[in-house]
Amino acid sequence: MTLRSIVGLAGNLTSPSRTRVLVEAVLEAVQRRVDASTGLIDLSTVGPVLLSAPTRDALARAGEVLLSRIEAADLLVVGTPVYRASYTGALKHVFDLLHKDSLAGKPAILAATGGSALHGLVTEHQLRPLLTFFNAHTVPTSLYATEADFTAYRIANAALARRIERAADEAAALLTMTGGTRSLDAAVFADREASGAQHGSA
Ligand SMILES: Cc1cc2nc3c(=O)[nH]c(=O)nc-3n(C[C@H](O)[C@H](O)[C@H](O)COP(=O)(O)O)c2cc1C
């Protein structure tokens, strides 16, 4: 059986980052349940590569490799800091570069960090609709953390740690049900490409 691939996408633009810490904790929790390789795409590091082009065609090879890793993943963990009540513009640009059919059926865990609890539903009214546009299967439990949930960039809130385990349980169950989505997605995507489907809104 092929080793599954779990990719974390952290939309923070600076480092150190609580968002990155949260995404890494989720990756570790899933990896305790599923035989998988994990990788993290941290926009504070690779942002310049992905933000350098307005369209995928104009992207350098290194950027294309990153997008392909996202599209080939069996499970995505998508995390963002809240910027002006939403995900970061940089994270949105990455999603704008992805092929619109490339995440269909892919399980995804949503995570965000913010400066205040007031934006705790950003996963529900910003991130979840974005992933739903791509027809990804987002797990019901999403994660939100503020500065008070961390000590020295380590998770220090037991309730948050339990939610991470619950989200990982849900994702592992979805992965078992779907058996991984890579081959199915690749086939569907190849069909649509062959029939000349254009990228754009669904
Ligand atoms: C440009 C900018 C806009 C922000 N807007 C919000 C906001 O609307 N709501 C909020 O709760 N926090 C906001 N914050 C705070 C960050 O979301 C918070 O500090 C986050 O945990 C930072 O994540 P990071 O450590 O991964 O960079 C903002 C921070 C920046 C830099």
Side-chain angles (χ1 to χ4, degrees):
M1 200 177 89
T2 328
L3 190 67
R4 286 182 175 128
S5 158
I6 309 174
V7 172
L9 176 57
N12 49 286
L13 296 176
T14 56
S15 181
S17 159
R18 293 183 188 88
T19 305
R20 178 186 171 127
V21 170
L22 182 57
V23 169
E24 284 179 324
V26 177
L27 290 174
E28 285 165 21
V30 178
Q31 205 173 25
R32 285 198 297 275
R33 291 160 171 81
V34 179
D35 197 15
S37 66
T38 61
L40 178 70
I41 296 174
D42 176 341
L43 294 192
S44 72
T45 310
V46 299
V49 176
L50 289 165
L51 298 174
S52 64
T55 63
R56 188 156 179 166
D57 293 347
L59 205 58
R61 173 84 192 129
E64 177 58 36
V65 168
L66 290 168
L67 295 180
S68 296
R69 276 176 60 198
I70 295 169
E71 292 176 340
D74 292 299
L75 168 72
L76 286 179
V77 180
V78 181
T80 185
V82 183
Y83 276 14
R84 307 288 186 252
S86 187
Y87 35 71
T88 61
L91 182 68
K92 178 60 163 56
H93 186 63
V94 175
F95 278 94
D96 290 344
L97 294 173
L98 294 171
H99 291 295
K100 72 179 179 62
D101 299 319
S102 61
L103 308 186
K106 202 182 293 300
I109 299 177
L110 308 177
T113 71
S116 108
L118 289 174
H119 285 133
L121 288 176
V122 70
T123 50
E124 307 310 309
H125 59 68
Q126 301 290 326
L127 273 182
R128 204 180 293 279
L130 177 62
L131 272 292
T132 299
F133 167 87
F134 284 94
N135 289 316
H137 287 313
T138 55
V139 303
T141 300
S142 59
L143 305 156
Y144 184 77
T146 65
E147 192 175 338
D149 298 318
F150 298 85
T151 302
Y153 287 89
R154 295 175 72 91
I155 291 171
N157 179 319
L160 174 61
R162 282 195 298 276
R163 280 184 73 80
I164 291 171
E165 297 301 320
R166 199 166 85 195
D169 277 342
E170 292 165 359
L174 260 182
L175 268 177
T176 306
M177 280 164 55
T178 60
T181 58
R182 266 187 290 182
S183 52
L184 175 65
D185 286 349
V188 170
F189 186 56
D191 279 356
R192 296 196 186 183
E193 286 289 283
S195 64
Q198 296 297 309
H199 308 313
S201 56

